[in-house]
Amino acid sequence: MREIFGCKKEEEMKLIRKVLKTCDFIAIDTEFPGCLKETPMKATDETRYENLKFNVEHTKLIQLGFTLFQRDGSIGGTWEVNFKDFDERIDACNDKSVEFLRRNGLDFKKIREEGVGIQEFFKEFGQILKDEDKKLKWVSFDGSYDLAYLVQGLTGTIPLPETLEAFNKTVEETLGLTFDVKKIAVDCKGVSSRYGLQRIADDLHIKRVGDAHHAGSDSELTARVFTDLIFSISKEKKREREEEQQYKEECKRRAMHILHEGEKAFMMEKRGLHPPPRPIVFHPYPPHLNGFYFVQPQRHIHHSFLH
């Protein structure tokens, strides 16, 4: 895990450019000063977006974490960018969220004094993405806010689109293909989409690197959980395809057997012969229902039952 502060920015940006050449996926996470407008659990999608738009436009990003990785899950590197723009003493924030981040180890004073500027970083980061001309696949966990801050930084525009539909279109145009691990979890057996990132990682026996609620560590865990879930889904789909193929082959085998038996019987009748009737035997242990025994005819009983 590599931290980006002002003094190391140029060195790290060169390394990011280098690693980007071999990676097709990027997992992201952000830390921001909480929500100024809280959203009810049963709010509509439109209300959720209206509140997201207000919160993102009126707060400043604290950290951006991103992990570059390959299709097979090999991680190229994880970076945690610390932004100096936010000052908890004067900027709009949710006091409880800021205190939560402080308890989890974020050093606001250090970030404020040694961090990089938001516009400065995104201008260079956006240029790197443009130069490499990579069609990255972006991965997040419940990442609507992550994508909003990212789009805002890369486009350089503070006002987000007015509607959810327009926002989704902007995300697609700016980033391309995006995946949300929380939504992917819906298709995985034994994993609930109601779980948080850490709970899903625990269920998958994936150990975290670094501290929770730090953007770099969260992005790295998101990448590993994503890879594990995708592999699990792929294996499950493969198993289902194999079972389906076996079922089709069995049906075909039975159909051919029935066809063969029918043709055989037809030929015997054509010759004036009558095929022997299939034997009917009785179950050696008839069921006992309401005080009475019922004898059930059974076919294909092994000859040992008859002795």
Side-chain angles (χ1 to χ4, degrees):
M1 185 116 30
R2 306 179 71 92
E3 289 192 286
I4 296 182
F5 287 96
C7 61
K8 295 175 59 180
K9 183 176 75 70
E10 294 307 318
E11 173 188 343
E12 297 300 332
M13 298 306 274
K14 289 178 182 178
L15 184 58
I16 291 168
R17 185 185 290 272
K18 180 181 178 181
V19 174
L20 194 58
K21 295 179 185 296
T22 61
C23 295
D24 297 314
F25 290 82
I26 179 169
I28 62 168
D29 184 74
T30 59
E31 300 299 339
F32 55 94
C35 295
L36 306 180
K37 278 188 177 181
E38 299 288 348
T39 304
M41 289 289 292
K42 295 183 179 181
T44 63
D45 289 343
E46 289 73 18
T47 299
R48 290 181 184 280
Y49 178 69
E50 288 174 7
N51 291 350
L52 176 148
K53 174 178 165 63
F54 179 87
N55 290 328
V56 172
E57 290 177 354
H58 291 84
T59 57
K60 297 175 182 177
L61 195 56
I62 301 171
Q63 284 185 336
L64 168 68
F66 59 93
T67 296
L68 293 168
F69 63 105
Q70 299 174 26
R71 185 179 297 273
D72 64 359
S74 301
I75 292 178
T78 296
W79 285 266
E80 186 172 86
V81 190
N82 296 277
F83 297 113
K84 65 182 180 181
D85 304 63
F86 175 68
D87 187 338
E88 77 279 12
R89 300 169 300 182
I90 58 175
D91 289 322
C93 64
N94 183 311
D95 292 335
K96 291 182 180 179
S97 296
V98 169
E99 184 56 33
F100 174 79
L101 292 175
R102 182 179 282 113
R103 287 199 311 270
N104 280 276
L106 260 67
D107 187 340
F108 289 102
K109 185 174 184 293
K110 180 179 179 181
I111 293 174
R112 185 170 63 248
E113 294 177 352
E114 302 178 22
V116 299
I118 293 175
Q119 290 185 351
E120 173 192 356
F121 170 81
F122 276 107
K123 182 178 180 181
E124 190 167 352
F125 186 57
Q127 190 60 51
I128 291 174
L129 296 176
K130 195 179 204 181
D131 291 345
E132 296 302 321
D133 193 26
K134 296 279 288 189
K135 291 185 178 179
L136 286 171
K137 289 83 171 175
W138 299 80
V139 181
S140 63
F141 184 90
D142 199 12
S144 54
Y145 275 81
D146 301 323
L147 296 178
Y149 280 112
L150 190 63
V151 165
Q152 187 186 70
L154 289 172
T155 60
T157 56
I158 292 179
L160 292 171
E162 290 299 322
T163 66
L164 177 59
E165 182 180 358
F167 172 72
N168 290 334
K169 184 177 180 181
T170 301
V171 170
E172 183 178 350
E173 291 173 348
T174 306
L175 304 178
L177 191 58
T178 60
F179 297 94
D180 195 313
V181 175
K182 192 174 181 69
K183 294 177 181 177
I184 292 173
V186 173
D187 296 323
C188 298
K189 291 183 178 179
V191 178
S192 173
S193 61
R194 297 193 301 270
Y195 295 166
L197 176 62
Q198 187 61 60
R199 172 65 184 275
I200 293 177
D202 290 343
D203 285 354
L204 296 174
H205 307 292
I206 298 175
K207 189 175 180 180
R208 176 186 288 275
V209 176
D211 298 321
H213 308 296
H214 288 239
S217 176
D218 286 352
S219 75
E220 198 265 356
L221 193 61
T222 298
R224 293 166 64 204
V225 168
F226 169 78
T227 302
D228 196 290
L229 291 181
I230 292 299
F231 283 165
S232 296
I233 292 173
S234 297
K235 286 197 285 190
E236 181 66 21
K237 295 296 183 185
K238 182 180 179 181
R239 186 186 64 79
E240 289 176 357
R241 287 196 300 269
E242 289 175 349
E243 289 180 351
E244 182 179 2
Q245 184 61 31
Q246 290 175 0
Y247 174 74
K248 288 180 179 179
E249 290 175 358
E250 177 64 16
C251 288
K252 183 178 179 181
R253 187 189 67 78
R254 291 180 180 179
M256 293 300 294
H257 177 72
I258 292 171
L259 181 62
H260 175 72
E261 291 293 319
E263 290 176 345
K264 184 178 177 181
F266 174 77
M267 293 302 297
M268 291 184 72
E269 290 180 0
K270 190 175 181 181
R271 294 173 185 171
L273 303 174
H274 295 284
R278 298 174 67 183
I280 296 178
V281 297
F282 293 93
H283 199 293
Y285 301 105
H288 182 269
L289 298 174
N290 296 326
F292 297 93
Y293 285 97
F294 291 88
V295 177
Q296 293 181 325
Q298 301 289 319
R299 298 184 185 275
H300 305 297
I301 299 298
H302 194 274
H303 64 84
S304 62
F305 286 131
L306 304 177
H307 300 287

